[in-house]
Amino acid sequence: MTGRDAAFVEVSSAGWAFWRALLDTCVGLIVGSLYTFLGIVVIGIVGEEALSSLYWQVDLDPLFRASMGVILLVAAVLAIGVPFVFVAERYAALRAVESSAGADPSAVPQRSLRLELKAAPASHLQTTGLVLFCCLAGLGGIFALGVLFTEDLREDAVSWVALLVFAVLAFGAEMLRRIGRRAVERDSARMGTQWGRWKRGVPRAQQADAERRAAAVAAVVPRWLTAPSARLLHRIATVLLAATFISLAAFMLSVFMRQQCRTCDPVYWDEPIENGIDLLSLSSGVAIAVCAALGILAWVGGVVLQFARESALSRWVADGAARRIDVGLVESLLSGNRAAVRLQLGLSALGAGAVVVGVGALWAEWSAMDASSVLGAAAILIVLGLIIGWSDAPRSRRQRQLARDALFPGDIGPAGEL
């Protein structure tokens, strides 16, 4: 590898693209579950405090209670499944990098992919096993103390079965940790080879890009890359975020004034404070809903704008002519999440919310909703998001490589050492 022929290359593969899309889907499911939890809490409190007649008329309480149980189940499934998807994605990334190095030893993968492989893939499996073992051992130990010192539990056969289940699961977690440790030792040579290659190649590729960029002709940046400016978009996001936090603070204040702790009795005030609390709860709840709606609109607008910029950038550099521009104007288009990935995350999050509410309606036997239709829509959203993210991988690699070959942006991407 020489400084003249070294270059940053967008590395990808069909296998890595699938696991990356599946991992992004899991991230969307986690985010959607969290937002659904917050939505249920806010709607439940606002409905009970300020809109009690309508709230009980619609009878949302059974649905929300059942949905909270579904959220716990979804959280448990994701907590167990996502780490394995994470490890599989890292191994697929390692294979893609090795395949790229075999085809072109002078090529250096993009920074985001190198940072993914900052640690050996199996190290995450080792960490997962350790965390699961500590959790299971801690919960099992607490339950064992209860069995030993509580006569009713000690005489109940189910308690001993539960202890046996804890022991078996903790043993499995320990085996998982050991498997991860052995895999880290086994893969140390593979990882060392790639890290050494990157350590030598990154400075050379960075220098080569700088030289090519300096030799290129300065180009006028198209307006679609600068309008609306990143500063304006940042200000809009800051205002929305500040308004959301203020609304949440007002909402929590109304909750605290009504009930100071979880086990405390509700506090009722003299007028006009009593009406003021209801008004504060209602207005802050409405403000949160408005901020959420505006946030969704801003997010959709951002995805559309990014998609338009990605397509326009690809058309602009399609001729392959070298150009020199301010790299900061295209950095987010070359290193951040693609518009398709952001859409995938949104669809997955929406699907997660639909799963929670749909299963909650089934558990609560809530007849006001067609739970089967909601669950069908949830499945379509999640699968559609996965397909969108997976199918965009070849297009992403092609478009970003075209931009790299024409603009020579250097080693752009998230902060990190690799």
Side-chain angles (χ1 to χ4, degrees):
M1 180 186 297
T2 65
R4 191 170 298 278
D5 62 7
F8 293 106
V9 174
E10 291 287 327
V11 174
S12 184
S13 71
W16 176 72
F18 169 76
W19 287 107
R20 179 73 248 181
L22 185 58
L23 182 60
D24 288 334
T25 297
C26 292
V27 172
L29 294 176
I30 294 172
V31 173
S33 300
L34 291 174
Y35 273 110
T36 303
F37 170 77
L38 292 176
I40 289 174
V41 170
V42 171
I43 294 174
I45 294 177
V46 170
E48 190 170 354
E49 290 294 330
L51 302 172
S52 57
S53 58
L54 179 61
Y55 180 79
W56 293 109
Q57 182 179 355
V58 179
D59 198 22
L60 290 172
D61 193 61
L63 173 64
F64 287 170
R65 290 181 183 275
S67 296
M68 286 297 188
V70 179
I71 290 176
L72 293 177
L73 177 61
V74 170
V77 171
L78 291 174
I80 295 173
V82 171
F84 293 98
V85 176
F86 188 84
V87 173
E89 186 268 342
R90 291 298 190 262
Y91 269 114
L94 177 58
R95 288 192 293 270
V97 166
E98 290 174 333
S99 177
S100 174
D104 183 4
S106 66
V108 179
Q110 65 269 32
R111 174 183 284 268
S112 59
L113 192 56
R114 302 198 318 268
L115 289 178
E116 281 194 12
L117 298 174
K118 189 175 182 178
S123 64
H124 305 291
L125 193 65
Q126 183 180 1
T127 302
T128 299
L130 178 61
V131 171
L132 288 176
F133 176 80
C134 293
C135 293
L136 291 168
L139 293 174
I142 294 173
F143 187 71
L145 292 175
V147 171
L148 291 176
F149 293 101
T150 305
E151 184 176 354
D152 292 340
L153 291 176
R154 192 167 55 248
E155 295 177 354
D156 190 352
V158 176
S159 300
W160 297 101
V161 172
L163 278 178
L164 179 61
V165 171
F166 272 116
V168 171
L169 292 177
F171 177 77
E174 173 62 16
M175 290 299 100
L176 185 64
R177 185 189 69 82
R178 295 187 179 186
I179 291 172
R181 185 184 63 190
R182 293 193 187 99
V184 170
E185 295 172 355
R186 181 195 65 201
D187 296 336
S188 60
R190 296 173 65 187
M191 300 305 301
T193 299
Q194 299 305 318
W195 292 335
R197 191 171 68 87
W198 298 338
K199 186 176 181 179
R200 296 187 301 270
V202 168
R204 295 173 179 175
Q206 181 80 331
Q207 180 183 357
D209 260 20
E211 292 174 354
R212 293 165 183 158
R213 189 169 57 250
V217 177
V220 178
V221 178
R223 184 169 177 78
W224 41 262
L225 275 179
T226 58
S229 66
R231 179 177 296 180
L232 175 60
L233 295 176
H234 178 72
R235 287 178 178 175
I236 294 175
T238 301
V239 170
L240 280 175
L241 190 61
T244 301
F245 277 124
I246 293 173
S247 302
L248 283 172
F251 178 74
M252 295 306 299
L253 176 61
S254 68
V255 173
F256 178 77
M257 293 181 68
R258 175 65 67 200
Q259 190 167 3
Q260 276 72 37
C261 67
R262 188 168 181 263
T263 57
C264 298
D265 294 329
V267 178
Y268 296 96
W269 304 74
D270 295 333
E271 300 296 346
I273 298 179
E274 184 68 25
N275 286 336
I277 294 175
D278 291 341
L279 180 61
L280 179 63
S281 177
L282 177 60
S283 59
S284 59
V286 171
I288 292 173
V290 171
C291 289
L294 292 176
I296 292 173
L297 290 176
W299 177 83
V300 172
V303 171
V304 172
L305 176 63
Q306 183 176 348
F307 181 81
R309 285 179 168 176
E310 289 169 353
S311 300
L313 176 62
S314 180
R315 290 193 299 269
W316 187 49
V317 299
D319 59 2
R323 299 169 174 85
R324 184 174 74 250
I325 66 170
D326 181 3
V327 174
L329 297 176
V330 297
E331 181 173 356
S332 62
L333 296 178
L334 296 180
S335 63
N337 278 340
R338 297 266 299 176
V341 174
R342 293 175 62 186
L343 178 60
Q344 175 193 1
L345 293 172
L347 292 175
S348 301
L350 190 59
V355 167
V356 170
V357 176
V359 176
L362 285 178
W363 286 6
E365 298 181 352
W366 202 60
S367 58
M369 175 188 295
D370 186 357
S372 59
S373 298
V374 173
L375 292 176
I380 292 173
L381 289 171
I382 295 172
V383 173
L384 181 60
L386 175 63
I387 293 174
I388 289 174
W390 187 13
S391 61
D392 182 66
R395 180 171 175 265
S396 170
R397 182 183 183 281
R398 183 175 63 256
Q399 289 185 344
R400 288 183 168 183
Q401 192 61 54
L402 281 173
R404 284 184 180 276
D405 293 341
L407 304 176
F408 316 111
D411 194 22
I412 58 176
E417 295 181 359
L418 289 178

